Amino acid sequence: MLRDLFDRNREWSVTRKQEEPGYFARLATRQAPEYFWIGCSDSRVPANVITGLDPGEVFVHRNVANVVHSSDMNLLSALEFAIDALGIRQVIVCGHYGCAGVRAATEEIVHELADHWIEPIRRLARQYAIDLACAGSAAARRDRLAEFNVIEGVRRVAETPIIRRAWARGDDVAIHGLIYGIEDGLLRDLDCTIRRNHPAGEGPGG
Ligand code: CO
């Protein structure tokens, strides 16, 4: 059943070794990625591929609708390792347009467990109801909500003790909010970056 995967893997491995002898030996010794990526699990949004980064260049955490839950041990463990062990200074929260998780948060359909997961997005939809009402179509409203979800994620990452500690010891960690367009393959900066010395309690966008 997995023959296709193994075939592709062998082919990829051979090609990489031809392109750069010693490639795997180099990667095996250490990883020193510049970026920590928090993105959506959607198969169309693979961090390495859409950023053109090679293995070893981006440390990745993905979940449904790139939600940042303050108590998500998975995300927090990855964040802590990224900041404290790998010394990463660029944290990216990346959402995407056409996100099914964001869409689910706008529907009245019961999704069981996933409803708990996307509850923060429902909250954002209520919080920004007036802004969202200005969007032209239901799809535009969902895409705007996806942007709000990224901005909220950036804020929440900035509020974690992991990031607070890093800033307190002088590390110039920056948290960026990006959104990816599945329709054009382009990343956009939502200009909601939070850096060290950011006024306490003041979120991006005022
Ligand atoms: Co998604």
Side-chain angles (χ1 to χ4, degrees):
M1 261 159 52
L2 298 179
R3 175 165 292 177
D4 187 43
L5 289 190
F6 285 108
D7 288 347
R8 284 165 182 252
N9 166 252
R10 249 189 310 275
E11 203 174 301
W12 173 77
S13 170
V14 167
T15 308
R16 279 325 280 244
K17 278 182 271 198
Q18 280 168 351
E19 286 169 353
E20 185 192 330
Y23 174 78
F24 292 106
R26 176 171 64 81
L27 274 186
T29 56
R30 68 189 286 258
Q31 63 164 332
E34 209 174 308
Y35 312 97
F36 176 45
W37 176 279
I38 300 168
C40 183
S41 298
D42 193 305
S43 64
R44 298 164 297 178
V45 200
N48 282 79
V49 178
I50 65 176
T51 53
L53 292 171
D54 279 331
E57 295 185 326
V58 58
F59 194 65
V60 175
H61 169 88
R62 291 165 70 185
N63 66 50
V64 171
N66 46 275
V67 180
V68 178
H69 285 267
S70 304
S71 58
D72 177 1
M73 294 303 288
N74 185 350
L75 191 156
L76 293 174
S77 301
L79 178 67
E80 185 179 75
F81 191 76
I83 302 297
D84 295 347
L86 296 174
I88 290 176
R89 297 292 175 260
Q90 308 303 325
V91 177
I92 293 165
V93 179
C94 184
H96 67 99
Y97 295 133
C99 182
V102 170
R103 183 189 187 117
T106 65
E107 296 170 338
E108 291 310 318
I109 303 162
V110 174
H111 301 91
E112 307 293 346
L113 184 58
D115 281 325
H116 294 279
W117 184 256
I118 59 181
E119 189 277 331
I121 309 178
R122 278 192 201 279
R123 200 149 21 89
L124 286 173
R126 285 194 298 273
Q127 190 181 337
Y128 292 102
I130 296 167
D131 300 71
L132 294 170
C134 297
S137 63
R141 273 197 293 282
R142 288 194 293 269
D143 287 349
R144 190 82 188 104
L145 183 56
E147 295 178 353
F148 286 133
N149 181 41
V150 169
I151 295 166
E152 179 69 9
V154 168
R155 282 180 189 164
R156 282 180 175 261
V157 170
E159 282 164 11
T160 59
I162 298 160
I163 297 295
R164 295 281 161 191
R165 253 195 336 263
W167 282 336
R169 64 177 178 251
D171 294 347
D172 278 322
V173 177
I175 304 131
H176 311 274
L178 310 184
I179 194 121
Y180 174 77
I182 286 178
E183 290 184 3
D184 61 9
L186 293 175
L187 284 170
R188 293 159 184 80
D189 192 344
L190 290 174
D191 290 321
C192 59
T193 300
I194 301 183
R195 299 172 189 280
R196 195 167 146 245
N197 299 327
H198 181 84
E202 191 187 306

PDB file of all heavy atoms in Angstrom, residues 67-85:
ATOM      1  N   VAL A  67      -4.526  27.076  15.124  1.00  0.00           N
ATOM      2  CA  VAL A  67      -5.023  27.723  16.337  1.00  0.00           C
ATOM      3  C   VAL A  67      -3.913  27.705  17.399  1.00  0.00           C
ATOM      4  O   VAL A  67      -3.226  26.691  17.566  1.00  0.00           O
ATOM      5  CB  VAL A  67      -6.270  26.994  16.899  1.00  0.00           C
ATOM      6  CG1 VAL A  67      -6.770  27.695  18.158  1.00  0.00           C
ATOM      7  CG2 VAL A  67      -7.373  26.933  15.840  1.00  0.00           C
ATOM      8  N   VAL A  68      -3.731  28.821  18.070  1.00  0.00           N
ATOM      9  CA  VAL A  68      -2.775  28.860  19.183  1.00  0.00           C
ATOM     10  C   VAL A  68      -3.575  28.814  20.479  1.00  0.00           C
ATOM     11  O   VAL A  68      -4.183  29.797  20.893  1.00  0.00           O
ATOM     12  CB  VAL A  68      -1.897  30.130  19.135  1.00  0.00           C
ATOM     13  CG1 VAL A  68      -0.950  30.167  20.343  1.00  0.00           C
ATOM     14  CG2 VAL A  68      -1.110  30.186  17.837  1.00  0.00           C
ATOM     15  N   HIS A  69      -3.627  27.608  21.080  1.00  0.00           N
ATOM     16  CA  HIS A  69      -4.255  27.442  22.393  1.00  0.00           C
ATOM     17  C   HIS A  69      -3.151  27.620  23.434  1.00  0.00           C
ATOM     18  O   HIS A  69      -2.099  26.985  23.332  1.00  0.00           O
ATOM     19  CB  HIS A  69      -4.823  26.025  22.552  1.00  0.00           C
ATOM     20  CG  HIS A  69      -6.085  25.776  21.798  1.00  0.00           C
ATOM     21  ND1 HIS A  69      -7.328  25.952  22.351  1.00  0.00           N
ATOM     22  CD2 HIS A  69      -6.304  25.364  20.521  1.00  0.00           C
ATOM     23  CE1 HIS A  69      -8.254  25.652  21.462  1.00  0.00           C
ATOM     24  NE2 HIS A  69      -7.662  25.288  20.336  1.00  0.00           N
ATOM     25  N   SER A  70      -3.419  28.439  24.431  1.00  0.00           N
ATOM     26  CA  SER A  70      -2.388  28.717  25.439  1.00  0.00           C
ATOM     27  C   SER A  70      -2.007  27.491  26.262  1.00  0.00           C
ATOM     28  O   SER A  70      -0.993  27.499  26.954  1.00  0.00           O
ATOM     29  CB  SER A  70      -2.864  29.827  26.369  1.00  0.00           C
ATOM     30  OG  SER A  70      -3.207  30.962  25.607  1.00  0.00           O
ATOM     31  N   SER A  71      -2.836  26.447  26.208  1.00  0.00           N
ATOM     32  CA  SER A  71      -2.544  25.251  27.002  1.00  0.00           C
ATOM     33  C   SER A  71      -2.200  24.045  26.126  1.00  0.00           C
ATOM     34  O   SER A  71      -2.197  22.917  26.601  1.00  0.00           O
ATOM     35  CB  SER A  71      -3.761  24.913  27.871  1.00  0.00           C
ATOM     36  OG  SER A  71      -4.887  24.723  27.034  1.00  0.00           O
ATOM     37  N   ASP A  72      -1.890  24.280  24.859  1.00  0.00           N
ATOM     38  CA  ASP A  72      -1.562  23.187  23.943  1.00  0.00           C
ATOM     39  C   ASP A  72      -0.119  22.737  24.182  1.00  0.00           C
ATOM     40  O   ASP A  72       0.827  23.393  23.751  1.00  0.00           O
ATOM     41  CB  ASP A  72      -1.759  23.676  22.501  1.00  0.00           C
ATOM     42  CG  ASP A  72      -1.376  22.627  21.463  1.00  0.00           C
ATOM     43  OD1 ASP A  72      -0.981  21.510  21.854  1.00  0.00           O
ATOM     44  OD2 ASP A  72      -1.478  22.931  20.266  1.00  0.00           O
ATOM     45  N   MET A  73       0.020  21.604  24.879  1.00  0.00           N
ATOM     46  CA  MET A  73       1.349  21.113  25.242  1.00  0.00           C
ATOM     47  C   MET A  73       2.203  20.804  24.017  1.00  0.00           C
ATOM     48  O   MET A  73       3.428  20.915  24.043  1.00  0.00           O
ATOM     49  CB  MET A  73       1.235  19.851  26.109  1.00  0.00           C
ATOM     50  CG  MET A  73       0.601  20.090  27.464  1.00  0.00           C
ATOM     51  SD  MET A  73       1.489  21.334  28.413  1.00  0.00           S
ATOM     52  CE  MET A  73       2.966  20.415  28.829  1.00  0.00           C
ATOM     53  N   ASN A  74       1.553  20.375  22.965  1.00  0.00           N
ATOM     54  CA  ASN A  74       2.270  20.064  21.730  1.00  0.00           C
ATOM     55  C   ASN A  74       2.932  21.326  21.175  1.00  0.00           C
ATOM     56  O   ASN A  74       4.141  21.384  20.961  1.00  0.00           O
ATOM     57  CB  ASN A  74       1.263  19.477  20.733  1.00  0.00           C
ATOM     58  CG  ASN A  74       1.909  19.007  19.447  1.00  0.00           C
ATOM     59  OD1 ASN A  74       3.084  19.270  19.192  1.00  0.00           O
ATOM     60  ND2 ASN A  74       1.146  18.326  18.627  1.00  0.00           N
ATOM     61  N   LEU A  75       2.123  22.363  20.998  1.00  0.00           N
ATOM     62  CA  LEU A  75       2.657  23.624  20.480  1.00  0.00           C
ATOM     63  C   LEU A  75       3.692  24.227  21.429  1.00  0.00           C
ATOM     64  O   LEU A  75       4.760  24.667  21.001  1.00  0.00           O
ATOM     65  CB  LEU A  75       1.514  24.616  20.240  1.00  0.00           C
ATOM     66  CG  LEU A  75       1.872  25.881  19.459  1.00  0.00           C
ATOM     67  CD1 LEU A  75       0.619  26.461  18.798  1.00  0.00           C
ATOM     68  CD2 LEU A  75       2.502  26.958  20.312  1.00  0.00           C
ATOM     69  N   LEU A  76       3.368  24.238  22.742  1.00  0.00           N
ATOM     70  CA  LEU A  76       4.271  24.856  23.712  1.00  0.00           C
ATOM     71  C   LEU A  76       5.612  24.134  23.782  1.00  0.00           C
ATOM     72  O   LEU A  76       6.660  24.761  23.899  1.00  0.00           O
ATOM     73  CB  LEU A  76       3.616  24.903  25.099  1.00  0.00           C
ATOM     74  CG  LEU A  76       2.398  25.834  25.214  1.00  0.00           C
ATOM     75  CD1 LEU A  76       1.740  25.690  26.576  1.00  0.00           C
ATOM     76  CD2 LEU A  76       2.785  27.279  24.959  1.00  0.00           C
ATOM     77  N   SER A  77       5.573  22.808  23.686  1.00  0.00           N
ATOM     78  CA  SER A  77       6.824  22.033  23.716  1.00  0.00           C
ATOM     79  C   SER A  77       7.672  22.360  22.497  1.00  0.00           C
ATOM     80  O   SER A  77       8.894  22.521  22.593  1.00  0.00           O
ATOM     81  CB  SER A  77       6.523  20.536  23.734  1.00  0.00           C
ATOM     82  OG  SER A  77       5.749  20.218  24.858  1.00  0.00           O
ATOM     83  N   ALA A  78       7.014  22.449  21.335  1.00  0.00           N
ATOM     84  CA  ALA A  78       7.747  22.772  20.105  1.00  0.00           C
ATOM     85  C   ALA A  78       8.296  24.191  20.178  1.00  0.00           C
ATOM     86  O   ALA A  78       9.443  24.453  19.783  1.00  0.00           O
ATOM     87  CB  ALA A  78       6.829  22.612  18.893  1.00  0.00           C
ATOM     88  N   LEU A  79       7.480  25.115  20.713  1.00  0.00           N
ATOM     89  CA  LEU A  79       7.909  26.518  20.835  1.00  0.00           C
ATOM     90  C   LEU A  79       9.119  26.624  21.766  1.00  0.00           C
ATOM     91  O   LEU A  79      10.099  27.308  21.464  1.00  0.00           O
ATOM     92  CB  LEU A  79       6.751  27.374  21.353  1.00  0.00           C
ATOM     93  CG  LEU A  79       7.043  28.865  21.580  1.00  0.00           C
ATOM     94  CD1 LEU A  79       7.310  29.585  20.264  1.00  0.00           C
ATOM     95  CD2 LEU A  79       5.872  29.545  22.308  1.00  0.00           C
ATOM     96  N   GLU A  80       9.023  25.922  22.907  1.00  0.00           N
ATOM     97  CA  GLU A  80      10.119  25.970  23.871  1.00  0.00           C
ATOM     98  C   GLU A  80      11.417  25.428  23.272  1.00  0.00           C
ATOM     99  O   GLU A  80      12.480  26.023  23.414  1.00  0.00           O
ATOM    100  CB  GLU A  80       9.749  25.161  25.126  1.00  0.00           C
ATOM    101  CG  GLU A  80      10.783  25.265  26.223  1.00  0.00           C
ATOM    102  CD  GLU A  80      10.355  24.480  27.449  1.00  0.00           C
ATOM    103  OE1 GLU A  80      10.444  23.229  27.417  1.00  0.00           O
ATOM    104  OE2 GLU A  80       9.912  25.097  28.416  1.00  0.00           O
ATOM    105  N   PHE A  81      11.292  24.316  22.560  1.00  0.00           N
ATOM    106  CA  PHE A  81      12.477  23.727  21.928  1.00  0.00           C
ATOM    107  C   PHE A  81      13.033  24.673  20.867  1.00  0.00           C
ATOM    108  O   PHE A  81      14.250  24.870  20.758  1.00  0.00           O
ATOM    109  CB  PHE A  81      12.127  22.366  21.310  1.00  0.00           C
ATOM    110  CG  PHE A  81      13.329  21.594  20.875  1.00  0.00           C
ATOM    111  CD1 PHE A  81      14.130  20.942  21.803  1.00  0.00           C
ATOM    112  CD2 PHE A  81      13.678  21.524  19.532  1.00  0.00           C
ATOM    113  CE1 PHE A  81      15.253  20.232  21.402  1.00  0.00           C
ATOM    114  CE2 PHE A  81      14.809  20.824  19.127  1.00  0.00           C
ATOM    115  CZ  PHE A  81      15.598  20.175  20.060  1.00  0.00           C
ATOM    116  N   ALA A  82      12.124  25.286  20.099  1.00  0.00           N
ATOM    117  CA  ALA A  82      12.550  26.199  19.025  1.00  0.00           C
ATOM    118  C   ALA A  82      13.325  27.381  19.589  1.00  0.00           C
ATOM    119  O   ALA A  82      14.391  27.743  19.088  1.00  0.00           O
ATOM    120  CB  ALA A  82      11.330  26.685  18.245  1.00  0.00           C
ATOM    121  N   ILE A  83      12.797  27.971  20.657  1.00  0.00           N
ATOM    122  CA  ILE A  83      13.395  29.187  21.215  1.00  0.00           C
ATOM    123  C   ILE A  83      14.616  28.870  22.082  1.00  0.00           C
ATOM    124  O   ILE A  83      15.678  29.461  21.908  1.00  0.00           O
ATOM    125  CB  ILE A  83      12.354  29.964  22.066  1.00  0.00           C
ATOM    126  CG1 ILE A  83      11.126  30.327  21.220  1.00  0.00           C
ATOM    127  CG2 ILE A  83      12.980  31.207  22.696  1.00  0.00           C
ATOM    128  CD1 ILE A  83      11.388  31.249  20.063  1.00  0.00           C
ATOM    129  N   ASP A  84      14.435  27.930  23.012  1.00  0.00           N
ATOM    130  CA  ASP A  84      15.486  27.681  23.999  1.00  0.00           C
ATOM    131  C   ASP A  84      16.601  26.758  23.507  1.00  0.00           C
ATOM    132  O   ASP A  84      17.772  26.974  23.816  1.00  0.00           O
ATOM    133  CB  ASP A  84      14.875  27.100  25.286  1.00  0.00           C
ATOM    134  CG  ASP A  84      13.941  28.106  25.967  1.00  0.00           C
ATOM    135  OD1 ASP A  84      13.978  29.296  25.586  1.00  0.00           O
ATOM    136  OD2 ASP A  84      13.191  27.697  26.870  1.00  0.00           O
ATOM    137  N   ALA A  85      16.243  25.728  22.752  1.00  0.00           N
ATOM    138  CA  ALA A  85      17.273  24.777  22.336  1.00  0.00           C
ATOM    139  C   ALA A  85      17.857  25.118  20.969  1.00  0.00           C
ATOM    140  O   ALA A  85      19.064  25.034  20.763  1.00  0.00           O
ATOM    141  CB  ALA A  85      16.679  23.360  22.311  1.00  0.00           C
TER     142      ALA A  85
END
